[in-house]
Amino acid sequence: MRLEPITWERLADTLAERLLDLKTAGGGPWLRVAVDGAPASGTGELARRLGDALRLRGRPPLVVATEGFLRPASLRLEYGHQDVEAYYSGWFDTGALWREVLGPLDPGGTGRVLPDLWDPAADRATRSPYVPLPPGGVLLLHGPLLLGHWFPFDLTVHVRLSPGALRRRTPEGERWTLPAFERYEAETDPASVADVVVRADDPRHPAWSG
């Protein structure tokens, strides 16, 4: 895959321009975008930059993090605090993401999105109110392991780190999750299935697939 150097600012602007011309697959009034990558890759910052670029162009964004849709600790940690299989397939409430985030933006949907569901620190529901996304708005859902669930995204961006960079930039206490990302690479191959790939081994000098 050929990658070209780019700045984060220009990347956000270029993606925003692409989204202005993008039509939804089902003809609905809302676009759904994935910004996929390991926590160390900085997907949240890219989603926020893209949201700002869209807002400047008159398209209302809604940035949602998958970490707000973790399962309760009793389910997430049922097999221990460092169970790789549980992290890979059971930490994130994909059913709630379908129901509360993606489903309301189906054609004919309400447009009312729940921005988060569960506070993992307090281990209780956040009780956040629903947020109405106006027609023409863009959902920016960011977080890890997003591309293996057949979510109905209109554009997918994968922020890629080499194995070495991923290890270096992952805090020591979270490195037990690294085998889950090795499995994700093997089973999902996100760099091949994503519409846009961003390499961020050096966060000061990203490159992208165009």
Side-chain angles (χ1 to χ4, degrees), residues 18-112:
R18 181 178 298 187
L19 289 170
L20 293 182
D21 296 327
L22 188 64
K23 305 299 182 184
T24 62
W30 304 282
L31 287 171
R32 294 174 283 195
V33 177
V35 184
D36 171 71
S41 68
T43 58
E45 179 60 26
L46 177 54
R48 284 187 288 273
R49 286 180 183 271
L50 180 52
D52 290 342
L54 285 166
R55 193 176 292 108
L56 288 173
R57 290 162 172 79
R59 296 292 294 273
L62 178 59
V63 178
V64 175
T66 58
E67 65 184 14
F69 288 83
L70 289 171
R71 296 181 186 277
S74 60
L75 299 175
R76 203 168 68 247
L77 308 178
E78 181 179 3
Y79 300 103
H81 286 256
Q82 297 187 359
D83 187 89
V84 175
E85 173 62 32
Y87 178 80
Y88 185 77
S89 59
W91 269 43
F92 298 95
D93 193 340
T94 56
L97 287 169
W98 274 101
R99 183 178 66 253
E100 305 289 2
V101 179
L102 297 162
L105 304 181
D106 283 337
T110 64
R112 297 174 68 249

Side-chain angles (χ1 to χ4, degrees), residues 74-171:
S74 60
L75 299 175
R76 203 168 68 247
L77 308 178
E78 181 179 3
Y79 300 103
H81 286 256
Q82 297 187 359
D83 187 89
V84 175
E85 173 62 32
Y87 178 80
Y88 185 77
S89 59
W91 269 43
F92 298 95
D93 193 340
T94 56
L97 287 169
W98 274 101
R99 183 178 66 253
E100 305 289 2
V101 179
L102 297 162
L105 304 181
D106 283 337
T110 64
R112 297 174 68 249
V113 174
L114 191 65
D116 51 56
L117 178 64
W118 199 258
D119 180 347
D123 198 35
R124 64 185 180 191
T126 58
R127 304 187 185 279
S128 295
Y130 285 87
V131 176
L133 187 61
V138 181
L139 169 72
L140 302 170
L141 179 63
H142 68 88
L145 312 173
L146 277 174
L147 304 185
H149 304 288
W150 300 99
F151 287 146
F153 294 118
D154 299 294
L155 183 76
T156 54
V157 180
H158 174 63
V159 184
R160 182 177 180 81
L161 296 176
S162 68
L166 179 58
R167 173 168 289 277
R168 287 193 304 273
R169 292 172 57 184
T170 299

